[in-house]
Amino acid sequence: MCASLTTCEWKKVFYEKMEVAKPADSWELIMDPNLKPSELAPGWKQYLEQHASGRFHCAWCWHTWQSAHVVILFHMHLDRTQRMGSVRMRVFKQLCYECGTARLDESSMLEENIEGLVDNLITSLREQCYEEDGGQYRIHVASRPDSGPHRPEFCEACQEGIVHWKPSQKLLEEEANTISDASKSGAQAGLSFNFFSLRWCLLWASLCLLIVYLQFSFHSSAFL
């Protein structure tokens, strides 16, 4: 039984994607609130997601806020002989800065965000546990604006010494340029198509006029 809807969604997405990525192996996903960064048992690997987007809701004062600084810690282990793997996961919480309560609040995430984060997890898992080329990591940009600047004093991850980072401006600019180049190519292709379409229309119009002229000339000759 899942502790929350978000936990259920994480497990659902993870199991579905791992069934596709590694159907011959059996993997489990365990939520572990006591997981510590860089404290690994022998044979375990670590992946740290530092720029996830999540929404928080204070159970005390009902204040809600959006953050693009949600940190998620994963510890991974694969037993190759048994073909069984395990992932332990911890989503770091944040304190409500409105009421100042000492209760840490969990984040909720959209399904599309969870899918992207699981894709990154599987990429790291394939690289570290299977020694494969996992592919390219997805850059996550918050679908909703932040509720102001990040406040380290209210962040559980910051209090445990984890340094946050967001996608660099250069990466975002490169991604924007790629989209822009694709749009320009599409526009040029459309312009070329329109140009040739215009030429064909003019050609057909000229041909029709020629046929009409020849028919008129033929009828005129017949009357003469």
Side-chain angles (χ1 to χ4, degrees):
M1 188 70 180
C2 297
S4 66
L5 289 176
T6 303
T7 299
C8 289
E9 192 62 38
W10 270 100
K11 291 189 175 185
K12 171 180 172 291
V13 174
F14 176 75
Y15 293 142
E16 288 177 353
K17 288 183 176 288
M18 284 305 299
E19 183 65 28
V20 175
K22 294 295 175 182
D25 297 339
S26 177
W27 281 85
E28 64 174 352
L29 178 65
I30 301 171
M31 300 294 173
D32 186 352
N34 299 315
L35 213 60
K36 299 292 184 182
S38 302
E39 295 185 8
L40 297 166
W44 285 73
K45 308 295 183 181
Q46 175 174 295
Y47 170 61
L48 187 66
E49 182 72 62
Q50 303 179 69
H51 52 88
S53 177
R55 189 169 185 81
F56 293 85
H57 175 81
C58 179
W60 182 259
C61 71
W62 303 101
H63 172 63
T64 61
W65 67 98
Q66 183 76 18
S67 175
H69 301 269
V70 181
V71 175
I72 308 173
L73 176 64
F74 300 96
H75 285 181
M76 310 167 290
H77 179 264
L78 172 64
D79 187 334
R80 291 182 177 271
T81 58
Q82 299 293 327
R83 302 193 71 90
M84 296 180 64
S86 179
V87 175
R88 291 187 172 273
M89 168 185 170
R90 177 186 177 185
V91 182
F92 287 86
K93 304 175 184 179
Q94 294 185 13
L95 291 167
C96 176
Y97 53 84
E98 285 290 330
C99 65
T101 179
R103 183 182 184 277
L104 286 162
D105 295 296
E106 296 181 353
S107 65
S108 60
M109 296 181 182
L110 298 174
E111 181 178 351
E112 60 194 51
N113 290 344
I114 292 176
E115 289 186 355
L117 294 166
V118 170
D119 285 339
N120 281 355
L121 168 62
I122 293 176
T123 297
S124 178
L125 187 148
R126 296 181 68 164
E127 290 176 351
Q128 298 195 73
C129 296
Y130 290 95
E131 298 179 353
E132 300 175 351
D133 180 8
Q136 190 171 7
Y137 287 87
R138 293 176 60 175
I139 298 175
H140 297 282
V141 180
S143 56
R144 300 170 183 169
D146 285 356
S147 300
H150 183 63
R151 306 187 183 190
E153 65 272 22
F154 295 100
C155 175
E156 186 181 31
C158 289
Q159 296 305 310
E160 296 198 15
I162 298 176
V163 179
H164 289 261
W165 65 278
K166 294 185 70 174
S168 69
Q169 190 63 31
K170 182 179 179 181
L171 286 174
L172 294 178
E173 288 175 357
E174 288 177 354
E175 189 174 87
N177 290 336
T178 301
I179 296 173
S180 177
D181 292 341
S183 300
K184 288 179 181 178
S185 299
Q188 290 174 354
L191 182 62
S192 176
F193 176 77
N194 291 337
F195 174 72
F196 284 109
S197 298
L198 181 61
R199 289 184 60 184
W200 277 109
C201 289
L202 291 174
L203 180 62
W204 279 108
S206 301
L207 185 60
C208 290
L209 288 173
L210 179 61
I211 293 172
V212 171
Y213 173 76
L214 291 174
Q215 287 180 342
F216 179 77
S217 299
F218 175 77
H219 286 299
S220 298
S221 301
F223 281 116
L224 293 174

